[in-house]
Amino acid sequence: MSIDGKGVTLPTERQVLIDILGEPSRVSRRANTLLTWDQLGLVAYEEPNDGLIVQITVALGAMTFDFWPQRAFSGALELQGAALRSDTAMADLVRSKQVKGLIANSKQPYMADAVFGDL
C-alpha cells in the first residue's frame, strides 16, 4: 500500500513507519502496541512478540477509543491500485472486488462496514 505516495509493505518495523510518517503523537500499550498519528488520522498495530507492525488503521471518522486519532485521515491512500479517501464507501470498494482480500464485516460494533484484509 502507499500513503501519500510513500510505499509501505506489511508487516514492517516501527522505524520504517516513523521514517515515512514521522514520530507518532502517542503510543498506547494494549494486547498490541498502538502507535497513533493524530494529525494524519492513522493508527498502527505492533505485535508484542516480534515488534512488527501488522496493521495500519485509517481513521475515516470519529470514534471514542482513547487511542483513536484526533483527526480523520485526509491524505491519499492507495490499496492495490484503488484510491481510498475519507469519502470512499468501503462497502462499495469491497463489492467492486477492485482490491483482493477485502471483506465487509458487519459484526464489528464500531463500524458497520469495517474492512479487513491482507493488504
Side-chain angles (χ1 to χ4, degrees), residues 38-99:
D38 283 317
Q39 301 306 311
L40 299 177
L42 298 171
V43 179
Y45 291 72
E46 183 180 71
E47 287 195 336
N49 296 335
D50 57 15
L52 291 176
I53 302 293
V54 295
Q55 176 180 326
I56 298 173
T57 297
V58 178
L60 299 178
M63 304 295 276
T64 58
F65 301 120
D66 62 353
F67 60 82
W68 201 250
Q70 294 173 359
R71 291 188 174 179
F73 180 78
S74 63
L77 176 67
E78 185 178 298
L79 301 174
Q80 299 174 15
L84 175 66
R85 294 176 304 279
S86 60
D87 62 348
T88 301
M90 299 311 304
D92 292 342
L93 184 60
V94 171
R95 276 192 296 277
S96 75
K97 299 185 181 186
Q98 192 174 4
V99 179

Side-chain angles (χ1 to χ4, degrees), residues 102-119:
L102 294 182
I103 59 169
N105 185 342
S106 62
K107 295 179 183 175
Q108 293 300 317
Y110 50 86
M111 186 183 297
D113 58 352
V115 175
F116 298 89
D118 190 12
L119 308 175

